[in-house]
Amino acid sequence: MSTPRKSPPAADRRTLIADTAIDLVAAAGLRGLTHRAVDGAAGLPAGSTSYYFRTRTALIGACYQRLAELDLGDLGDVGDVGGPGDPGGARLPEGAPAPPAADREAAAAALAGLLHRWLTVGRARQLARFELSLEAARNPELEADFHRAGQGARVRATGVLAALGAQRPEEAAELLVAWMDGLLYDRLAGALARSRPAPDLSELTSVTRRMLDAVLARPA
């Protein structure tokens, strides 16, 4: 006699639902995101998604949280480069020597690797993120969830840039994140996205080094 299969824990089901919802948004846009569609794509009994996330707004909020978790996981390696510094964004003492150039090179390489990953194996996730960000811009109920989801990346970027000698790391982090988002959008959904060659790691490394040079330039 076979042993009945146990249902996955609630936390695992929530993660499965969020991951499936993100995949659906990437493939079909928000028009493809329904509770029934998530149940079917996830192989869950009918009504499972609505049990954990009663409304569509709650389901989209779960997508924001899951996207933030996944992106921060990818950002882990970037946070380890840049030499000594407070990951919370502390500045170097006034007059302290700049970190060695090797630290900036390591940071550029790490950021380029991150961009390359998001343009290739993580492409669908980033497409879903852009799609969901537009929904937050239209729906005040989602604005707070989207804002919280985006703070982790900015805090991480602030810490890296502070360690690399940025005099105003919070401002530099805002600019760096905006540039990276712009590059991702251009390569994934811009007018020339389909005609561009495949992402090239060496080219991305050159681009990210120029980004870092710009945001780390001493303010006037």
Side-chain angles (χ1 to χ4, degrees):
M1 184 175 179
S2 61
T3 303
R5 186 174 60 180
K6 294 182 178 179
S7 298
D12 292 346
R13 278 204 173 192
R14 287 177 177 272
T15 299
L16 172 62
I17 288 168
D19 285 343
T20 304
I22 290 167
D23 289 342
L24 285 171
V25 172
L30 281 165
R31 68 180 182 276
L33 183 63
T34 67
H35 288 75
R36 180 178 295 180
V38 174
D39 287 341
L44 293 172
S48 297
T49 299
S50 61
Y51 175 81
Y52 290 101
F53 304 103
R54 297 295 301 172
T55 66
R56 193 166 187 269
T57 296
L59 181 58
I60 293 174
C63 291
Y64 292 149
Q65 181 179 344
R66 181 59 176 158
L67 285 167
E69 290 173 359
L70 293 169
D71 285 351
L72 281 176
D74 288 344
L75 282 165
D77 293 339
V78 179
D80 294 334
V81 302
D86 179 356
R91 296 165 180 78
L92 293 177
E94 192 69 33
D103 290 342
R104 192 175 295 192
E105 292 293 344
L111 286 170
L114 183 66
L115 286 169
H116 190 269
R117 186 183 313 169
W118 286 348
L119 288 169
T120 54
V121 295
R123 179 179 183 276
R125 191 205 312 168
Q126 297 306 311
L127 284 172
R129 184 169 66 85
F130 286 126
E131 186 88 32
L132 289 160
S133 69
L134 293 174
E135 184 68 10
R138 302 185 190 103
N139 187 343
E141 291 184 69
L142 292 167
E143 187 175 356
D145 284 342
F146 183 65
H147 177 76
R148 280 193 297 271
Q151 287 309 298
R154 286 163 173 77
V155 170
R156 189 70 55 85
T158 297
V160 171
L161 293 171
L164 288 171
Q167 295 302 300
R168 298 174 184 168
E170 295 89 354
E171 294 177 18
E174 287 290 336
L175 187 55
L176 181 63
V177 170
W179 276 347
M180 290 182 67
D181 262 355
L183 186 148
L184 285 167
Y185 184 88
D186 180 64
R187 302 295 175 90
L188 292 173
L192 302 179
R194 291 188 178 276
S195 61
R196 287 186 181 277
D200 179 76
L201 186 56
S202 61
E203 183 257 344
L204 289 171
T205 302
S206 175
V207 169
T208 53
R209 177 58 196 264
R210 287 156 59 193
M211 287 183 190
L212 284 174
D213 287 344
V215 299
L216 292 171
R218 289 183 177 274

